[in-house]
Amino acid sequence: MTPILYCHPDSGFSYKVALALRLLGIEFEQRQVNIRIPRDQRSQEFRDLAVHGEIPVLRIDGLVLCQSNVILDYLAVRESRLDGADLEHRLHVREWLAWEANRISLNLAHSRYGRQIGHYDPAVLAWYDRRSIADLDRLQAQLSQTAWLAGAEPTIADVACSGYLLYAIEPWADVAGFPRRLWSERWPAVDAWLERLLALPGAQSPQALFAGHEIRY
């Protein structure tokens, strides 16, 4: 059975999973969920599967998997790709997954979302921006030393940590208040890393990957 990904084109969490599936060469069906309506108004099909009421949800191998980094972990183990070469390396990859969940998935996600909806108190948005800048500085420090976050080869650590950043490829999108054109000045290693990631076989930007699908679940 073809894997089914319940997702939304504005969700970096969805994009992380979709990008991993593309990089691993796993064919999948997209079912885009309307996250602009209350959760209890979303399709019964989705609500029956999403134990937390959130996207993404991936149906694969007779399993229903929730939470993006758990799904990335499963896919890397399943395919024996985008993972570490040994136990120490695999643990290092998962350190980055834990860091991303606590940092980028909170800070950069809200920095972007706050600008999209325009309803955040300016002080709250500034708090997310300060933390987002610190996160980008951390990535810059690492990627100044290694081509990929967990070493010499791309892994799900890179997929996880790039998810929301790759939305900034579009020229209108600001992340942490910094226009994309200024990244080469402050975070050149991050900028180059994103370009390397998008150059991998199967990789697509969020806009391209989610294009052409109807939001109806």
Side-chain angles (χ1 to χ4, degrees):
M1 179 178 178
T2 301
I4 298 172
L5 177 64
Y6 295 83
C7 55
H8 188 279
D10 284 342
S11 165
F13 304 110
S14 296
Y15 176 59
K16 289 191 290 183
V17 175
L19 178 59
L21 290 165
R22 290 276 307 171
L23 293 175
L24 291 167
I26 300 173
E27 296 292 330
F28 66 101
E29 176 187 343
Q30 285 188 42
R31 295 189 181 178
Q32 294 191 0
V33 178
N34 188 350
I35 61 173
R36 306 301 185 199
I37 61 176
R39 294 185 183 189
D40 62 0
Q41 295 179 23
R42 297 170 192 172
S43 75
Q44 189 66 49
E45 175 184 333
F46 173 70
R47 286 185 285 134
D48 286 346
L49 295 170
V51 294
H52 304 295
E54 300 171 342
I55 52 171
V57 173
L58 180 65
R59 293 180 62 182
I60 187 171
D61 301 335
L63 301 170
V64 177
L65 303 177
C66 304
Q67 299 298 310
S68 59
N69 285 352
V70 170
I71 300 172
L72 294 183
D73 186 20
Y74 178 79
L75 293 174
V77 172
R78 178 187 192 262
E79 299 296 315
S80 297
R81 293 172 56 203
L82 296 180
D83 206 353
D86 54 35
L87 177 59
E88 183 178 5
H89 192 194
R90 288 192 294 272
L91 290 173
H92 189 37
V93 168
R94 281 146 186 84
E95 287 174 0
W96 278 107
L97 294 187
W99 180 85
E100 187 274 341
N102 185 53
R103 299 293 308 192
I104 293 177
S105 284
L106 172 67
N107 303 320
L108 282 164
H110 280 281
S111 181
R112 176 175 175 270
Y113 184 65
R115 284 176 167 78
Q116 278 187 320
I117 65 172
H119 295 159
Y120 280 24
D121 184 284
V124 172
L125 188 58
W127 185 82
Y128 283 125
D129 285 354
R130 287 193 299 272
R131 289 173 58 91
S132 297
I133 290 168
D135 294 345
L136 284 159
D137 287 343
R138 174 68 190 96
L139 293 174
Q140 173 67 25
Q142 180 63 44
L143 293 164
S144 296
Q145 302 175 53
T146 57
W148 304 97
L149 288 177
E153 300 294 333
T155 68
I156 53 173
D158 301 285
V159 175
C161 291
S162 67
Y164 272 99
L165 289 171
L166 282 168
Y167 281 85
I169 295 299
E170 290 297 301
W172 52 262
D174 289 359
V175 174
F178 282 76
R180 183 70 168 79
R181 60 185 171 79
L182 298 181
W183 282 34
S184 60
E185 298 176 12
R186 178 152 185 165
W187 304 299
V190 176
D191 206 36
W193 167 65
L194 295 177
E195 291 181 3
R196 285 195 297 277
L197 188 58
L198 281 180
L200 293 174
Q204 287 183 302
S205 70
Q207 295 78 18
L209 201 158
F210 290 122
H213 295 271
E214 182 183 356
I215 299 174
R216 62 187 184 91
Y217 286 89

